[in-house]
Amino acid sequence: MRGGWRFGGDEKWRLIWPFFFILFLHSVAILLFTRGFLLTRTELSAFSQCSDISLSPCSPPPPPQSDTTTTTTTNNNNNNNNLSLHHHHCWTKPAVDRVVIIVLDALRFDFVAPSTFFEEVKPWMDKLQVLQKLASDEPSSARIFKAIADPPTTSLQRLKGLTTGGLPTFIDVGNSFGAPAIVEDNFIHQLVKNGKRVLMMGDDTWLQVFPDHFKKSYPFPSFNVKDLDTVDNGCIDHLFPSLYQDDWDVLISHFLGVDHAGHIFGVDSTPMIEKLEQYNDILEKVIEILKNQSAPGGLHENTFVIVMGDHGQTLNGDHGGGTAEEVETSLFAMSLKKSPASMPSELDTSSCKLDMDGRKICISSLQQLDFSVTMASLLGLPFPFGSIGRVNPELYALSAGTWGGLYPNSPNCKYCSHSETWMQNYANVLCINCWQVKRYIDLYSASSVIGFPKEDLLHVDEVYGQAQAIWTTHVNNTFINGSDVTSKTCVSSSSVLLEQIDAYSDFLATVAALARSKWTEFDLKLMVRSMFALGVVAIRACSFLSNSYILAEGKVANFLLATTGIFNLQSSVTEEKLAISAVALLVLNFILGLNIEPGLSKQAADSVSSEIAPILGLILLAFILCWSSAGNSCWIFLKHFFVMGTIVCYMLMAIHWSSESNMPTIPILLKPIGKNIIPRIIYGISFGLIALLAFAQMFEDKQMTSNYIGRTVVATMAILSAWSLTVLILLGRQGPLVVLLSIVGGWSIIRFQKLTQNTTNSTIAVSATDPLSVTQWSLLAVCLFFYTGHWCTFDGLRYGAAFIGFDDFNLIRQGFLLAIDTFGISHILPILGLPFLLVLRCPLSSQSQGRSAFFANLTEVFLIYGLITSVTTTFTIICVMIQRRHLMVWGLFAPKYVFDVVGLILTDVLICLASLYYF
């Protein structure tokens, strides 16, 4: 470098190299631990084939019959490539001709179930009346289910779980913003492979995960959470006309309005209720159209309707974790062809109550894991190879096609009841279901590095063997003198069938429980070897061993900051120096504590009083900037350039916020400019100033570095001003208040440190760095993180901030803005502002005993701050290792781990860059 600090290249790198070495150690340690803790499930390349059924011990489907109850009047009209159900049998007898799947994203269970099923009636309940009425009026062919999802409850993982029948792993959360194509065997693949024509409309995530599967598709962008209507309107435009067409076999329509309304406004909001009422009207019209064409020979004579959510949502409209609100969603199923009988009472697990109108409604429960295999059985398709779900009996029984005898030519079938005939069919389907799951488990254990423990596999084999022994006995008893399979008799005793069904159900439950408990094989050796590299024990870090602390992390950080503030006040009183800075820190801490609470309203972050308050805050920030930069002769031209650029951006922010308000004085033409153009200008100025600073460092004149303390003050102010512009605009109207609070907090810490410094030992060269002040600096950053509406879960991300200045979605751009919003006030600004802990403790003209000592102290400040972050992250790692089997591992501990390790790496990177910049 042509200028630099001129205190010797060797000495400079002697101070800097430890930061890069620490970054390397942390990266290696986190990589090792992550490999042990967040291993992904091995995805097998095997796919189920129709011909595979010949390898199973189960009864094959019957040959096509001319008088079969399943008709395909509409399936073979226009598509020669479509394989009609008359001519194509696979693993099971097809029970339905067409399926309409309507996905209402983030459909909470209490959006669909009657309010009488809950202790307290809420405003958003009983809005989908059409589904409740159908479930009440037609209980044998229509039913509401509570569908239980497996966490993580992000849309990508739920689509993957719904279609594969497997358990997606936590590490896949990172793919939610750039969904890769699903390469495992899945329900959609089996549809297409077996000649079914699939029509998709709505959320474009389907097209990303299934890029070449749909005969027709109408995708719409899904990531602009502020847009409640574009995707829904697109679905409406294509859904209703498609219901009159015969060029599809499976229709998928994915609405997003409820999910977006939740993210932006929360569940208890007017936009949410309006969306639910709109959905009720849409569903009412859909059912009307389908019923009008369901007469014998009609287009929808044997159509099956599914209305379902992919996951639930919290009251704040968030999802991703494993709480009951997030994993409990709804599924409504209806067969347009009426079933001849009701569900056999022995297998009916539903709960029945009267709704607000006195109608009896029964609600059942199913695992989303069961969806793909149940739908495959209804359509006569091979089950996805990796599915570990069970064909749900209550969903399976809704289709009239499942009540027909497997062997209609058998002379003894006329003596069987409807229930016994259906249970015979269902038992055979479960036989195929169990055989498929068993062969998947066997292949997975043989080919996967992770596999399953030997003792668990032996137990699985034992349970499967018991179920198959019952099946073999049952089959032998149904043959008459070894006659052909078509002469098999119906079983008159339902108890035998129930024993068979229970045995298969036990096997499938055993496998599902094993997969849920053992799927991620934690590598303790790698995890412990991470731990040894990460440092020492601290009191705050020890608290991370408690899940209660993690939930209240912001409050505890606020308490610890208050504790240090009380210590400051006590020290100043003891020395008979009542420090205003100590009082100011306590007052600031009280203000921060008022709004640090995960689960606050979605609008809490932007509830900063009136429209004028943020603008007044910007004026005050501009005054502080001008006042603090006056009297410093370093970087005169560059300093004034930065001050003017920052003030111009403040003015643009005021216009931007005004354009989004309802103030009558704002011209109409200014609103579109203020909405998107102004934020982009501010981003450009902000990153332009950062680039200018980097350029100025490379070509700095030697004479301008003589007053290194004054120069460091200007350099710190310049880099903070440049970065704070983007942080301010992303934080919204709360931004000016948050920055003012951070300034007051920083001033209080620095002022008290300067006040307590020995007047005879006040120079930077001989004074030791105060670890307490660095700790307070770190705690203040944590408090500001929570005060601004963030918390350490994926539903704590403020997704709306990523779209400030943009209406369309770009993965890199929106991801970058979201990262700045998340870590700007808690990492970027605090770390870049660390030199203030040194340079503001002495006069700007002080040269002390040399710049080498100054930068040695600055190195010490950076190391202490990095050590604090390292210790807290170390205990987070210990915590997730200990709690790896905890119920909240995916909803609480794993997100906390991800946030902390990302924060640690970011801290190391920022310290490295800051050392290059300041040194």
Side-chain angles (χ1 to χ4, degrees), residues 542-762:
C542 286
S543 301
F544 281 142
L545 297 177
S546 166
N547 63 326
S548 299
Y549 170 81
I550 295 177
L551 286 171
E553 181 181 358
K555 286 290 187 182
V556 177
N558 183 252
F559 172 80
L560 293 175
L561 182 58
T563 302
T564 61
I566 293 173
F567 175 80
N568 287 355
L569 184 62
Q570 186 270 337
S571 299
S572 65
V573 171
T574 301
E575 297 178 8
E576 299 181 352
K577 297 177 182 178
L578 181 58
I580 298 178
S581 57
V583 176
L585 183 61
L586 289 174
V587 173
L588 167 72
N589 194 71
F590 175 76
I591 295 173
L592 292 176
L594 293 177
N595 205 43
I596 296 179
E597 186 65 50
L600 290 175
S601 166
K602 273 290 181 182
Q603 302 305 311
D606 288 326
S607 61
V608 188
S609 62
S610 66
E611 305 281 352
I612 304 298
I615 298 177
L616 294 177
L618 290 176
I619 295 174
L620 185 55
L621 286 176
F623 172 78
I624 294 174
L625 178 64
C626 294
W627 173 79
S628 60
S629 61
N632 194 325
S633 60
C634 297
W635 273 4
I636 295 179
F637 171 76
L638 200 60
K639 179 182 69 176
H640 290 311
F641 184 81
F642 270 79
V643 171
M644 288 188 294
T646 302
I647 292 176
V648 168
C649 286
Y650 287 168
M651 296 170 62
L652 292 174
M653 284 183 207
I655 297 174
H656 168 68
W657 290 330
S658 299
S659 67
E660 290 188 331
S661 70
N662 297 320
M663 298 175 62
T665 56
I666 303 300
I668 296 178
L669 294 178
L670 190 61
K671 290 185 178 292
I673 298 176
K675 180 183 179 183
N676 287 337
I677 296 179
I678 286 180
R680 297 179 189 182
I681 294 175
I682 294 174
Y683 298 148
I685 293 176
S686 177
F687 296 125
L689 292 177
I690 295 172
L692 179 62
L693 276 175
F695 183 80
Q697 284 288 76
M698 296 177 61
F699 298 97
E700 184 180 12
D701 186 70
K702 179 180 178 180
Q703 275 116 18
M704 296 183 67
T705 65
S706 57
N707 184 2
Y708 56 89
I709 296 179
R711 182 260 178 210
T712 304
V713 171
V714 174
T716 306
M717 289 177 56
I719 195 66
L720 289 177
S721 297
W723 271 107
S724 65
L725 296 177
T726 299
V727 174
L728 269 171
I729 192 71
L730 293 178
L731 287 176
R733 289 183 175 85
Q734 67 170 340
L737 174 62
V738 172
V739 173
L740 285 172
L741 290 175
S742 66
I743 291 174
V744 172
W747 174 84
S748 301
I749 295 170
I750 296 166
R751 183 70 179 175
F752 183 82
Q753 181 183 231
K754 183 176 181 180
L755 180 67
T756 56
Q757 190 175 14
N758 192 311
T759 54
T760 62
N761 191 28
S762 61

Side-chain angles (χ1 to χ4, degrees), residues 219-345:
F220 298 92
S222 59
F223 279 106
N224 187 357
V225 294
K226 295 188 290 185
D227 185 350
L228 307 186
D229 301 311
T230 297
V231 176
D232 289 0
N233 290 340
C235 287
I236 294 170
D237 291 342
H238 297 284
L239 174 59
F240 295 131
S242 299
L243 296 178
Y244 295 97
Q245 306 299 320
D246 61 356
D247 58 350
W248 56 266
D249 300 300
V250 175
L251 183 153
I252 300 171
S253 184
H254 191 143
F255 291 76
L256 277 178
V258 160
D259 179 67
H260 288 185
H263 280 304
I264 299 300
F265 302 104
V267 170
D268 192 5
S269 64
T270 300
M272 176 65 76
I273 294 174
E274 290 175 347
K275 268 294 164 188
L276 291 174
E277 291 173 343
Q278 179 192 18
Y279 285 176
N280 187 70
D281 294 338
I282 293 170
L283 293 174
E284 197 167 31
K285 186 174 180 180
V286 168
I287 297 299
E288 180 183 0
I289 293 174
L290 293 175
K291 282 193 170 184
N292 288 339
Q293 304 176 80
S294 63
L299 186 63
H300 296 295
E301 176 188 359
N302 195 24
T303 294
F304 202 73
V305 182
I306 297 286
V307 179
M308 64 185 299
D310 52 348
H311 51 73
Q313 56 177 304
T314 65
L315 291 180
N316 287 328
D318 300 316
H319 54 89
T323 65
E325 290 179 308
E326 294 167 282
V327 300
E328 291 180 359
T329 182
S330 298
L331 186 147
F332 168 83
M334 177 180 180
S335 173
L336 292 174
K337 195 168 188 177
K338 301 299 183 289
S339 301
S342 298
M343 174 77 189
S345 59

Side-chain angles (χ1 to χ4, degrees), residues 319-389:
H319 54 89
T323 65
E325 290 179 308
E326 294 167 282
V327 300
E328 291 180 359
T329 182
S330 298
L331 186 147
F332 168 83
M334 177 180 180
S335 173
L336 292 174
K337 195 168 188 177
K338 301 299 183 289
S339 301
S342 298
M343 174 77 189
S345 59
E346 297 89 347
L347 298 175
D348 192 345
T349 61
S350 63
S351 172
C352 301
K353 290 186 178 182
L354 299 180
D355 66 7
M356 297 295 290
D357 297 325
R359 299 172 303 195
K360 180 182 177 180
I361 295 183
C362 297
I363 293 182
S364 301
S365 179
L366 63 78
Q367 299 289 326
Q368 278 194 351
L369 202 65
D370 303 340
F371 177 78
S372 66
V373 68
T374 305
M375 296 309 298
S377 67
L378 289 173
L379 286 163
L381 303 175
F383 302 167
F385 188 86
S387 172
I388 57 172

